[in-house]
């Protein structure tokens, strides 16, 4: 499809994410080993954290089709969890589905739930995910995405869970955002636990979920319905996209492939230009881009990169028995163990709201993390008489006076070329 030319046949504005993705990247199939997945799930208790979210809810829908003994949906969002319960009751009347209102950051909540239901499999989909918002709420992101993952993983190990699957993101690769670095540390956390616990821990990494809550598709559709403009951050902004249905099918297939300690990377095809996605949605509504609906470029937001990557140069992707799932092969065991040893100190920095120490810990855990200028400015005062890392005192813009930490290097800030 040529996005610059008028379409002969238009689709209504309820054009689905699957159709958008097919138009932009070609039709993709996620062939599943249904029998193998059924053998792993049937007759077992399965727990999904973040069950009310886009990925969590889709996982619940797909897991229900494999006849688990019971399915436990754990989330702190009451209304979406209630809605999921209604949908599952209608679609799978014989399913034993239990909702649990709880917070992954509360170890007692998680342990109580696992002790009660004794799940064999845990899919950990609970996470804060909005890049620009998390740049402004770093402590909450760390508490939820890192420490929450740590607590759920510890609870799973203590309760004898067989398999623990972490849902991760391509933003964990060479992270330039709080979201990315927290998800990378979450990956390393479970890699370290694989070395010491009986539970099989592994992660599945993929790109943006097309059509999910807060993603660009519903935002663009709303802007089109209002008559425009459609706002795009940058003309060259590209992202890997996958639909929730497609991602969850491949996550379930990864369950059948995982032996413990792997980070699986899903094949998402070629990255899509966000402006092409916007044009496709405008055309699908029977309108013309830049004539009926204007497209405005508003600038890259804090924490965003123009391009995402699926793996580092040092990480080699190894094929698996499924053509769209590959596994990372890299020597990261030492880094993972070092990261886990730093988690109590990171937890203390969050409790103390010590922005500077938190930032240094993140940088130490993930050396290729480049903090945005927003965090450097928050951590170190930019007043006329400010002092940088290595001096005797630090003054934070929020009035926090963290304990001095000696270092030979200043904290590196993201350059414009990185975002």
């Amino acid at each position: 499809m040529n996005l610059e030319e008028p379409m002969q046949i238009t689709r209504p504005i309820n054009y689905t994410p699957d159709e958008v993705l097919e138009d932009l990247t070609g039709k993709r199939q996620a062939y599943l080993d249904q029998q193998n997945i059924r053998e792993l799930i049937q007759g077992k208790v399965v727990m999904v954290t973040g069950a009310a979210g886009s990925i969590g809810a889709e996982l619940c829908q797909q897991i229900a089709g494999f006849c688990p003994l019971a399915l436990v949906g754990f989330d702190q969002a009451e209304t979406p969890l209630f809605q999921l319960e209604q949908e599952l009751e209608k679609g799978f009347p014989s399913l034993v589905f239990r909702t649990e209102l709880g917070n992954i950051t509360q170890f007692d909540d998680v342990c109580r739930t696992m002790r009660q239901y004794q799940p064999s499999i845990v899919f950990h989909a609970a996470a804060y995910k909005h890049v620009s918002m998390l740049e402004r709420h770093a402590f909450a992101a760390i508490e939820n995405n890192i420490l929450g993952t740590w607590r759920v993983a510890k609870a799973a190990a203590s309760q004898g869970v067989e398999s623990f699957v972490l849902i991760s993101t391509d933003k964990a690769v060479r992270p330039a955002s709080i979201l990315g670095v927290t998800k990378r540390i979450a990956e390393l956390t479970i890699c370290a636990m694989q070395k010491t616990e009986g539970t099989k821990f592994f992660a599945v990494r993929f790109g943006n979920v097309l059509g999910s809550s807060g993603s660009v598709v519903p935002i663009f559709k709303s802007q089109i319905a209002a008559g425009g403009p459609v706002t795009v951050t940058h003309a060259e902004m590209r992202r890997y996209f996958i639909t929730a249905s497609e991602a969850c099918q491949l996550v379930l297939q990864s369950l059948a492939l995982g032996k413990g300690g792997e980070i699986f990377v899903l094949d998402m095809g070629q990255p899509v230009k966000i402006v092409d996605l916007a044009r496709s949605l405008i055309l699908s509504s029977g309108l013309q881009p830049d004539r009926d609906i204007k497209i405005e470029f508003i600038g890259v937001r804090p924490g965003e990169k123009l391009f995402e990557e699926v793996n580092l140069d040092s990480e080699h992707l190894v094929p698996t028995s499924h053509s769209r799932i590959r596994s990372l092969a890299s020597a990261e065991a030492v880094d993972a163990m070092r990261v886990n040893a730093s988690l109590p100190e990171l937890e203390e920095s969050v409790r103390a709201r010590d922005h500077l120490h938190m930032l240094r810990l993140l940088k130490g855990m993930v050396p290729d993390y480049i903090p945005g200028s927003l965090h450097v400015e928050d951590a170190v005062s930019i007043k006329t008489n400010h002092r940088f890392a290595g001096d005797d005192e630090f003054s934070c813009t929020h009035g926090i006076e963290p304990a001095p930490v000696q270092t030979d290097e200043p904290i590196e800030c993201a350059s414009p070329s990185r975002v």
Side-chain angles (χ1 to χ4, degrees), residues 161-193:
V161 169
E162 295 172 12
S163 298
F164 181 101
V165 186
L166 168 69
I167 304 301
S168 191
T169 170
D170 56 4
K171 292 174 178 60
V173 181
R174 227 186 304 271
S177 65
I178 284 292
L179 171 59
V181 74
T182 57
K183 294 301 279 187
R184 178 56 180 155
I185 292 172
E187 289 180 350
L188 291 169
T189 296
I190 66 162
C191 285
M193 293 194 70

Side-chain angles (χ1 to χ4, degrees), residues 202-223:
F202 55 94
V204 182
R205 185 190 286 176
F206 51 86
N208 291 31
V209 178
L210 198 63
S212 65
S213 174
S215 70
V216 292
V217 169
I219 292 173
F220 286 171
K221 287 169 69 173
S222 176
Q223 291 174 336

Side-chain angles (χ1 to χ4, degrees), residues 26 41 45 48 97 198 263 292 312 324 361 384 405 417:
I41 291 176
V45 178
V48 178
F97 180 63
I263 296 177
D292 303 313
L312 295 169
R324 293 196 53 202
L361 286 168
T384 305
V405 179
S417 63

Side-chain angles (χ1 to χ4, degrees), residues 200-261:
K200 290 193 299 184
F201 290 94
F202 55 94
V204 182
R205 185 190 286 176
F206 51 86
N208 291 31
V209 178
L210 198 63
S212 65
S213 174
S215 70
V216 292
V217 169
I219 292 173
F220 286 171
K221 287 169 69 173
S222 176
Q223 291 174 336
I224 293 167
V230 170
T231 55
V232 177
T233 54
H234 193 284
E236 295 302 319
M237 183 74 73
R238 302 169 192 259
R239 290 292 181 266
Y240 287 99
F241 282 104
I242 193 167
T243 65
S245 173
E246 185 182 19
C248 291
Q249 288 174 15
L250 293 171
V251 167
L252 291 179
Q253 186 65 65
S254 299
L255 176 67
L257 298 173
K259 305 299 181 185

Side-chain angles (χ1 to χ4, degrees), residues 60 72 92 264 276:
C60 287
V72 182
F92 302 91
F264 292 111
D276 288 347

Side-chain angles (χ1 to χ4, degrees), residues 126-139:
Y128 289 152
K129 65 177 184 178
H130 295 289
V131 173
S132 58
M133 177 171 283
L134 294 189
E135 289 299 292
R136 302 191 302 273
H137 299 279
F139 292 119

